[in-house]
Amino acid sequence: MKISYSKTFEKKFATYQKKLQVKIFEAINNIPNGDIKKMTGNDIPPIYRLRISKYRVLFHMNEDEIKILKVDSRGDIYK
């Protein structure tokens, strides 16, 4: 399955420490396993969130691609 990253994700991801980057990257490569929930709302395609300790990754998913949208701490991701 192909994984693509948004500019928003790449900018924020670059600011994190190496250890956290590795943790997030491993969790993303492990999708669809992990703590994943479908977000509520009328988004098409639906948005999912992946929990990695106190961080959240928001993404779209279809049969052949995962599009990573955003990463941020739990308190800031949903703003």
Side-chain angles (χ1 to χ4, degrees):
M1 190 175 288
K2 182 178 179 284
I3 300 176
S4 59
Y5 303 95
S6 70
K7 292 271 186 235
T8 310
F9 171 84
E10 289 174 354
K11 269 189 198 167
K12 189 72 179 182
F13 185 75
T15 66
Y16 293 144
Q17 293 177 357
K18 192 73 176 156
K19 194 173 172 185
L20 179 59
Q21 286 183 348
V22 169
K23 196 173 184 179
I24 291 171
F25 192 69
E26 285 175 354
I28 289 171
N29 285 326
N30 207 16
I31 292 173
N33 303 317
D35 185 353
I36 293 175
K37 281 191 181 160
K38 185 177 178 188
M39 303 301 293
T40 58
N42 297 327
D43 296 318
I44 297 176
I47 295 177
Y48 297 89
R49 76 104 175 104
L50 169 63
R51 186 174 72 86
I52 306 145
S53 64
K54 67 173 189 165
Y55 293 90
R56 304 293 185 267
V57 174
L58 298 183
F59 64 96
H60 293 303
M61 183 167 63
N62 60 29
E63 301 82 40
D64 45 274
E65 184 183 23
I66 296 171
K67 173 74 172 167
I68 307 297
L69 304 173
K70 280 171 71 174
V71 62
D72 213 332
S73 62
R74 186 184 68 83
D76 297 329
I77 190 80
Y78 305 112
K79 292 179 182 173

